Amino acid sequence: MTSKKTVSNPLATTNLIIVMGVSGSGKSTLARALADIYHYEYLDGDDFHSDESRALMAQAIPLTDEHRAPWVASIKQRLQSNDTQQIHTILAFSGLKQKHREELRSAGLRTIVLYLNGNKETIEDRISNRKDHFMAPALLDSQFASMEDPMDEIDVYPIEVWPTIDQVVAQASEIIEQHLLANTPQSAPL
């Protein structure tokens, strides 16, 4: 693991917080809570999937890199637009593949990644209690199998998912305050 954690694109003046993890890890819940606290725009990566990809996932068919490429490109385009408009953003994004995380970093925003890390049993329990989500619970195994360990990346901060949401939000806020906001360039609005 990298010893010194920092942000990607440290000289950028628009902030991006990516909340990543497998389906059911709590990405959307945490990202919404943080967006409310920091008054950042909330984006959910799921909203950028094509109808075809949603249909595949609903049938428990894992997405291929060919399915994911336009999805990641669409998110990147939105982030670049937000950067141009100086809109700070929090993104709930699975981030299973390193190349997808790198693609979003290349949008040029000042970025940290909060990695929601949890064991399969905890996340299975959450998925089984989730209502009205397009992704089939059977895809959890493929999500864990596809997850490329992000811990050697300089801007990735792990957060365990088993504590209460209030504890997870508090830990995430501490990371944001210490590593993103404490070192924000002077021209960047908070």
Side-chain angles (χ1 to χ4, degrees), residues 62-174:
L63 298 182
T64 64
D65 283 345
E66 291 75 28
H67 293 115
R68 289 186 181 115
W71 170 62
V72 175
S74 178
I75 296 170
K76 179 182 176 180
Q77 183 177 21
R78 175 61 176 271
L79 294 175
Q80 288 171 321
S81 174
N82 282 6
D83 185 31
T84 301
Q85 300 173 58
Q86 291 285 291
I87 297 171
H88 299 304
T89 307
I90 294 183
L91 170 68
F93 175 71
S94 57
L96 301 178
K97 304 279 188 176
Q98 182 177 10
K99 67 182 177 182
H100 299 149
R101 298 187 296 265
E102 290 299 331
E103 185 71 14
L104 295 186
R105 289 177 182 113
S106 76
L109 288 79
R110 197 164 183 278
T111 303
I112 64 168
V113 180
L114 305 176
Y115 172 39
L116 293 178
N117 190 21
N119 65 43
K120 187 177 168 197
E121 294 74 27
T122 300
I123 294 173
E124 266 181 335
D125 184 54
R126 288 182 178 187
I127 287 177
S128 67
N129 291 312
R130 189 160 66 174
K131 305 276 190 268
D132 300 324
H133 196 272
F134 62 85
M135 192 177 121
L139 284 178
L140 185 58
D141 285 336
S142 74
Q143 291 251 308
F144 272 100
S146 296
M147 176 61 76
E148 295 175 359
D149 187 358
M151 290 312 301
D152 282 339
E153 298 165 29
I154 64 165
D155 59 357
V156 174
Y157 299 83
I159 298 176
E160 293 298 322
V161 301
W162 59 264
T164 67
I165 185 60
D166 289 341
Q167 291 169 316
V168 170
V169 168
Q171 184 180 356
S173 294
E174 184 177 320

